[in-house]
Amino acid sequence: MDQRSDGGAAAPVRPSGVSRRGAGLREVVWGADGFWGRRQAVNAAATFAHCADWMERLGWLENFDRVARGDVTDERAGWEFADSEVYKLLEGIAWELGRRDDARLAAAYGSLVARVVAAQDEDGYLGTAFGHPGLPPRYSDLSMGHELYNMGHLMQAAVARLRTFGEDALVAAARRAAEHVCREFAPGAREGICGHPEIELGLAELGRATGERRYLDQARVFVERRGRGTLPVRPLLSDEYFQDDVPVREATVLRGHAVRALYLAAGAVDVAVETGDRELLAALEGQWATTVERRTYITGGMGSRHQDEGFGEDWELPPDRAYCETCAGIGSVMLSWRLLLASGEVRYADLMERTLYNVVAAAADQGGTHFFYANPLHVRVAGAEHAGEGVNHRAEGGVRAQWFDVSCCPTNVARTFAALHTYAAMVEDDVLTLLLYSPGSVDLALPSGRMRLEVATRYPDDGRIEVSVVEAPREPVALRLRVPAWSHAAAVTDVSGTRTEAAPGWWEARRTWAAGDVVVLDLDLDPRIVWPDPRIDAMRGTVAVERGPLVLCLESTDLPAGVALEDVRIDATGAPRAAGDGAVIAATRRREPAVAPAAPPFASRRPTDPASGASFDLPLVPYHRWGERAPSQMRVMLPAVWEVASPR
């Protein structure tokens, strides 16, 4: 029986302690011809089934069946956190079913839920890697066991179902799991934390969705316990890896394992907002600001070290060793969205857009069945492995893989795309704000009535965003548009036809709107050269090229014959020109005197002018679609010269 609730206003994050909220699943509808609408359609048509098929093939779903039957486990499939991939998939399907009806997905959801719920113990514990015949005891490895992490994702999946359809078997299972966690880890009981933050997010949001305060209180307990050095640390790891080195409210920057750090910060924002803890919120805002200033790539990617999948030190941002895990990009969006709702500051929306277009969009191919785990900014050798069938046992590589041994990213992309449109708009009292631009419709309730808009745009290929009013309240309300931080030549044409410049930040107009009113935002999408901070040693002497929200890159596929990627130098004195969805820029080939093959990379000679050689036009493409035409070398940060020889 379908128990659909009124899920129109449902969304992944619903803070009760602030006046702002994002759009609901059915309050924004993106057109299938838009940048994000196409990805949502592919996600629903291909990615969900792809993830389910792989988890069935590898035995990750059979883990639940084995526990339900009471079998002795001799050899369990997948890592300890494989359960979470099932829960993230369920969350994505639940959001998708909340925005539109789909009998096929509904049947898949029901089948998966039945298998998961059958494996739950009577006391609410749910996990397939511990606590059953042939497996280690429960909570015997809090550092790396991921038991609470898994149940946190279960709770987030249940929130998606509760907000879109109401109570069902998955929601009941998540409630039982939350009750178990609150009993087991309450103050005075088991004084532990999970090595991978996530339970904080799950408990806080489930508490919001159910109105059960004890869940939020337990999330707060977990946040406050962290940073005391209580987790056992394995060789080659550290307290910092687990964010167990410094209490959350005393930290000044995100550090350690990037996904862990971002999930913890997002959960801590939930706790701070719901409890009115301004001190904690201010600490998290400061951590975000320092991390973005000193430890974030131009793409929005976070995590510069392959070891520990973590943040490096300030200004440690090597392009070729950038890790920038897809899940870290999603975690960054989750954190920025919560801080935006808490503060209303435009800087959080700007980072969300940058990360979405240049990390999250790059993570999946156009068919929705091949994925990047890491997102480096420089690939020296064209990838080849795992271009076809098989599991990729490496996170790196220049080819999107169908599946990974650690396959957290595909399911994370699936759940993110399913609810991504809820980040497109925001309501605060009688102000409706558009945040992400994509063709489609917006229909949101303000205190004085509904406001319905139609958005026509080809953004990010074109900078014109036309917003038409279809319905509006009969009293003055405000329409607010986000002017991105990168835009320095934006203009708005208001309902009277008057065109004025619009500075980066918020453009707002308050009036009594009428059906047929039109406001047009024009953003300058001319390609532009940008320079890295000189304190980033690994990028000194290079530049990048951006076009609108897109970071561009050079692929070896587009090099002239006989020109090697490492020999290309960009003319930083000229202006790149728009070409398709990318750009063309003048470049030259570095020419060095021949040296013996055995010569060291350093020599006691002065190098020749790196700008020597004839100039040529070099195509640059959006980073989000690199590697789709063929395996290739790639780089975002391009060595630059300030004087180029004239063409011969």
Side-chain angles (χ1 to χ4, degrees), residues 263-421:
Y263 278 19
L264 175 61
V269 172
D270 286 341
V271 168
V273 167
E274 295 302 316
T275 60
D277 191 334
R278 287 298 311 170
E279 177 191 43
L280 178 58
L281 183 61
L284 294 159
E285 290 172 331
Q287 292 167 28
W288 182 95
T290 303
T291 302
V292 172
E293 176 192 0
R294 302 181 179 193
R295 300 186 177 189
T296 301
Y297 285 93
I298 188 173
T299 57
M302 294 185 180
S304 61
R305 291 183 177 177
H306 286 234
Q307 180 180 346
D308 294 351
E309 299 181 309
F311 289 99
E313 300 299 329
D314 291 350
W315 318 114
E316 183 186 338
L317 295 167
D320 51 350
R321 294 299 293 166
Y323 200 69
C324 296
E325 184 181 340
T326 293
C327 287
I330 291 171
S332 171
V333 172
M334 292 165 58
L335 173 59
S336 293
W337 179 238
R338 285 163 167 81
L339 289 171
L340 173 61
L341 294 179
S343 69
E345 294 185 22
V346 70
R347 57 179 176 160
Y348 299 117
D350 283 337
L351 182 65
M352 287 176 64
E353 180 182 64
R354 177 174 294 275
T355 308
L356 286 168
Y357 274 107
N358 299 295
V359 177
V360 180
D365 71 347
Q366 296 297 317
T369 60
H370 291 75
F371 307 89
F372 280 142
Y373 189 109
N375 294 276
L377 278 69
H378 185 178
V379 175
R380 297 178 183 275
V381 179
E385 73 278 15
H386 304 291
E389 297 293 331
V391 174
N392 188 351
H393 292 274
R394 297 177 62 242
E396 309 89 42
V399 177
R400 292 175 179 86
Q402 290 196 56
W403 202 250
F404 298 91
D405 180 42
V406 176
S407 223
C408 49
C409 298
T411 54
N412 224 351
V413 168
R415 68 167 180 154
T416 300
F417 280 170
L420 186 60
H421 58 298

Side-chain angles (χ1 to χ4, degrees), residues 207-244:
R208 287 168 170 167
T210 62
E212 181 51 71
R213 176 73 185 197
R214 288 185 301 113
Y215 301 164
L216 176 66
D217 290 342
Q218 186 60 47
R220 179 184 57 79
V221 166
F222 283 134
V223 169
E224 297 295 355
R225 279 181 185 168
R226 196 168 290 272
R228 316 292 174 178
T230 60
L231 283 172
V233 176
R234 294 183 178 182
L236 302 182
L237 297 180
S238 65
D239 290 335
E240 183 182 77
Y241 174 84
F242 299 107
Q243 289 74 52
D244 198 27

Side-chain angles (χ1 to χ4, degrees), residues 10 140 181 218 248 283 295 401 432 457 468 481 523 621:
S140 55
V181 171
Q218 186 60 47
V248 174
R295 300 186 177 189
L432 189 158
T457 184
S468 302
L481 307 179
L523 300 174
V621 301

Side-chain angles (χ1 to χ4, degrees), residues 588-609:
T588 189
R589 177 184 179 184
R590 180 183 66 93
R591 296 183 185 277
E592 292 279 8
V595 295
F602 300 92
S604 57
R605 59 176 173 79
R606 182 178 179 179
T608 58
D609 178 11

Side-chain angles (χ1 to χ4, degrees), residues 306-577:
H306 286 234
Q307 180 180 346
D308 294 351
E309 299 181 309
F311 289 99
E313 300 299 329
D314 291 350
W315 318 114
E316 183 186 338
L317 295 167
D320 51 350
R321 294 299 293 166
Y323 200 69
C324 296
E325 184 181 340
T326 293
C327 287
I330 291 171
S332 171
V333 172
M334 292 165 58
L335 173 59
S336 293
W337 179 238
R338 285 163 167 81
L339 289 171
L340 173 61
L341 294 179
S343 69
E345 294 185 22
V346 70
R347 57 179 176 160
Y348 299 117
D350 283 337
L351 182 65
M352 287 176 64
E353 180 182 64
R354 177 174 294 275
T355 308
L356 286 168
Y357 274 107
N358 299 295
V359 177
V360 180
D365 71 347
Q366 296 297 317
T369 60
H370 291 75
F371 307 89
F372 280 142
Y373 189 109
N375 294 276
L377 278 69
H378 185 178
V379 175
R380 297 178 183 275
V381 179
E385 73 278 15
H386 304 291
E389 297 293 331
V391 174
N392 188 351
H393 292 274
R394 297 177 62 242
E396 309 89 42
V399 177
R400 292 175 179 86
Q402 290 196 56
W403 202 250
F404 298 91
D405 180 42
V406 176
S407 223
C408 49
C409 298
T411 54
N412 224 351
V413 168
R415 68 167 180 154
T416 300
F417 280 170
L420 186 60
H421 58 298
T422 65
Y423 301 147
M426 178 176 69
V427 171
E428 180 182 3
D429 299 324
D430 64 350
V431 180
L432 189 158
T433 304
L434 296 184
L435 300 165
L436 299 177
Y437 299 119
S438 193
S441 62
V442 177
D443 184 356
L444 284 164
L446 302 178
S448 55
R450 302 204 67 81
M451 191 162 189
R452 294 172 55 205
L453 309 171
E454 290 289 335
V455 180
T457 184
R458 293 192 302 109
Y459 188 82
D461 293 339
D462 187 276
R464 180 182 175 86
I465 298 112
E466 182 177 299
V467 182
S468 302
V469 176
V470 178
E471 179 184 349
R474 296 184 178 180
E475 58 186 74
V477 296
L479 173 64
R480 190 164 61 177
L481 307 179
R482 182 180 63 87
V483 181
W486 50 260
S487 178
H488 298 289
V492 173
T493 304
D494 63 22
V495 294
S496 69
T498 303
R499 183 181 172 91
T500 57
E501 293 183 359
W506 302 124
W507 176 90
E508 183 176 312
R510 179 178 293 275
R511 58 178 284 127
T512 301
W513 302 88
D517 286 345
V518 177
V519 172
V520 178
L521 171 63
D522 284 302
L523 300 174
D524 181 8
L525 296 190
D526 287 342
R528 58 194 181 276
I529 293 176
V530 294
W531 287 262
D533 189 292
R535 287 168 288 188
I536 306 174
D537 294 322
M539 295 183 183
R540 194 169 294 124
T542 67
V543 298
V545 179
E546 297 180 325
R547 184 179 180 187
L550 304 179
V551 174
L552 305 185
C553 68
L554 167 61
E555 283 195 271
S556 56
T557 309
D558 295 316
L559 288 173
V563 176
L565 183 76
E566 60 268 23
D567 290 339
V568 171
R569 297 293 182 269
I570 298 302
D571 176 10
T573 64
R577 310 184 306 277

Side-chain angles (χ1 to χ4, degrees), residues 607-625:
T608 58
D609 178 11
S612 61
S615 65
F616 55 87
D617 283 344
L618 187 68
L620 303 176
V621 301
Y623 175 80
H624 70 76
R625 66 176 178 86

